[in-house]
Amino acid sequence: MNKKRENLPGHYEEEILKLIETVRYRARQDTAMQIAERMLDYGIDLQLVGTITGLSRTELLSASEKTNH
C-alpha cells in the first residue's frame, strides 16, 4: 500500500486523505445520531443524551422530531 501512495502526486494524496477524513467524520456523526435517536426513544433525558453523544441541542431536537413522527 505504501508503494501505491508513493506513485500518487501530492495533491491527489491530499485530496484522498481529506475525502477519507470527511467520510470518517460523517460516519461518526451518523452513528451518534442513531444512538441518540434510540436513547430518546427510550425516554432518556435530552441533556444526558447530548452529554453522552456530543451532539448539540439543535441536533438532538431534530432527532427527537424524527422519532415522534
Side-chain angles (χ1 to χ4, degrees):
M1 187 162 144
N2 287 337
K3 291 189 178 207
K4 288 181 183 177
R5 291 178 89 193
E6 290 173 7
N7 293 334
L8 290 174
H11 67 279
Y12 288 125
E13 184 175 348
E14 287 177 26
E15 286 180 35
I16 290 170
L17 291 174
K18 286 179 186 177
L19 183 59
I20 289 170
E21 189 58 35
T22 301
V23 169
R24 283 182 49 201
Y25 174 78
R26 183 64 190 180
R28 274 192 218 126
Q29 288 297 104
D30 288 348
T31 300
M33 187 60 73
Q34 290 172 354
I35 291 169
E37 288 172 356
R38 297 303 165 265
M39 293 173 79
L40 293 169
D41 285 345
Y42 284 103
I44 297 174
D45 180 67
L46 190 69
Q47 186 173 359
L48 180 58
V49 173
T51 300
I52 292 171
T53 62
L55 296 172
S56 70
R57 182 171 179 82
T58 305
E59 291 169 316
L60 291 172
L61 290 173
S62 73
S64 178
E65 289 173 2
K66 288 179 188 176
T67 60
N68 289 333
H69 292 239

